[in-house]
Amino acid sequence: IPIVGNAKDVIRGFIDEIKKQKISRRKEWLAKIDSWKKKHPLTYDKKSNRLKPEYVVEQISELTKRRNTIITTGVGQNQMWAAQYYKTKRPRTFISSGGMGTMGFGLPSALGAQVGKPKDTVFVIDGDGSFQMVSQELTTVKINNLGLKIAILNNSYLGMVRQWQQIFFSKNYSQTCLRADYTCPPDCNKPGKQCPPYVPDFVKLAAAYGIEGIRVKRKADVKKSIEKALKIDGPVLMEFIVEEEENVFPMVAPGAPINQMIDKDDIV
């Protein structure tokens, strides 16, 4: 249904109509959402000794809950994990491009958030692929001494695309491994010991811009690394080497409607 009109007038009209809605209808909807949460709770393997991206986001959420914190995200799995496991408590403090798929959104939006709210803690939760779209903006961070904290969930893949290739294309990975080079055999679909360990080396990249860099490989080091970053008066880049083939759920299959979501239990 097209609505043609001045944006201000149309939005005011929306507000008037929303106010007319019965509160009971809203309560019914919220109750339905609560029932879904109980039936399909967010979960991951918390007993695993391997570093899970969900755990990293949970720790960021826990360690910043008493601060005025703004979260920005890149696009892909990192975006979904941030939305699911960071407990946002204030309006307009979770900044993401949503379903637009704007890779590289996290760092530039964090720059604006930090300039606009200089006393707030600004955290970028990003993926290794998305961050590389705009990593040169570390220059802007350094020049302006912006104290934002960057958390890169590095799984060595373009993670969301790899997840689709795993689930819908029989794990035939193509152009998603970020540690690949010309020597890789054509049937290789997972980084191995022969691969370069870091492409790029984000800690060295941060150092090149004069920014503190921290690499975290172990679950036991996550909390203290975040605490260290929060104590530093200036920008910090944290690279978390997370589980390579961790998947994010729920998701929607190609061409399927949004009400036909796939949970991890639906994957054979």
Side-chain angles (χ1 to χ4, degrees):
I1 301 175
I3 300 175
V4 181
N6 180 280
K8 288 185 178 180
D9 294 335
V10 171
I11 292 172
R12 287 193 184 105
F14 285 159
I15 293 172
D16 291 339
E17 290 300 318
I18 290 170
K19 288 179 179 178
K20 295 176 185 178
Q21 298 294 316
K22 293 181 180 180
I23 299 298
S24 60
R25 288 180 61 187
R26 196 173 304 169
K27 287 182 177 179
E28 290 174 6
W29 173 241
L30 292 176
K32 189 172 185 178
I33 292 174
D34 286 338
S35 70
W36 286 338
K37 287 181 178 179
K38 292 176 182 177
K39 186 176 181 180
H40 305 285
L42 290 174
T43 184
Y44 66 95
D45 184 7
K46 297 187 178 184
K47 294 181 180 179
S48 173
N49 290 324
R50 304 193 70 173
L51 184 50
K52 299 287 186 177
E54 300 95 329
Y55 177 77
V56 175
V57 177
E58 281 185 333
Q59 289 304 302
I60 294 172
S61 181
E62 177 65 23
L63 295 171
T64 60
K65 67 181 180 182
R66 292 183 176 85
R67 294 168 171 257
N68 288 333
T69 306
I70 298 172
I71 297 294
T72 73
T73 80
V75 161
Q77 290 177 315
N78 66 89
Q79 179 187 30
M80 301 298 102
W81 285 315
Q84 291 174 342
Y85 290 94
Y86 190 89
K87 295 179 173 60
T88 305
K89 296 181 175 63
R90 297 186 300 147
R92 295 179 296 280
T93 57
F94 187 91
I95 302 173
S96 181
S97 65
M100 295 180 70
T102 314
M103 286 187 73
F105 182 85
L107 184 57
S109 56
L111 298 179
Q114 191 72 86
V115 170
K117 290 286 187 177
K119 295 182 179 180
D120 284 13
T121 299
V122 177
F123 241 104
V124 186
I125 298 177
D126 216 337
D128 47 324
S130 188
F131 183 77
Q132 289 184 73
M133 297 283 182
V134 291
S135 60
Q136 71 277 3
E137 290 303 329
L138 290 175
T139 297
T140 309
V141 174
K142 181 61 178 179
I143 289 174
N144 294 279
N145 193 33
L146 300 176
L148 56 88
K149 314 304 177 187
I150 302 165
I152 298 176
L153 306 179
N154 188 350
N155 56 14
S156 299
Y157 281 109
L158 296 174
M160 185 61 79
V161 183
R162 182 212 57 77
Q163 179 172 328
W164 276 48
Q165 291 174 346
Q166 175 187 346
I167 295 172
F168 303 117
F169 297 97
S170 303
K171 208 174 180 179
N172 289 310
Y173 295 165
S174 176
Q175 311 304 315
T176 50
C177 179
L178 297 183
R179 287 168 60 191
D181 65 22
Y182 68 96
T183 64
C184 296
D187 59 343
C188 177
N189 66 1
K190 186 173 183 178
K193 294 180 180 180
Q194 76 282 1
C195 301
Y198 309 114
V199 182
D201 187 322
F202 286 108
V203 173
K204 288 183 178 179
L205 180 65
Y209 288 96
I211 293 172
E212 180 81 16
I214 302 172
R215 177 174 293 119
V216 184
K217 296 181 178 180
R218 301 190 310 146
K219 183 178 181 180
D221 295 332
V222 171
K223 182 177 179 180
K224 63 184 180 183
S225 297
I226 297 172
E227 289 174 335
K228 177 183 176 181
L230 290 171
K231 290 177 182 177
I232 294 173
D233 183 19
V236 182
L237 184 151
M238 290 166 284
E239 179 188 24
F240 297 93
I241 308 300
V242 298
E243 182 84 23
E244 292 171 344
E245 293 183 298
E246 185 76 357
N247 290 329
V248 60
F249 293 102
M251 68 179 300
V252 179
I258 195 69
N259 64 347
Q260 293 181 14
M261 291 184 287
I262 298 172
D263 200 358
K264 63 181 181 63
D265 295 331
D266 299 322
I267 304 300
V268 179

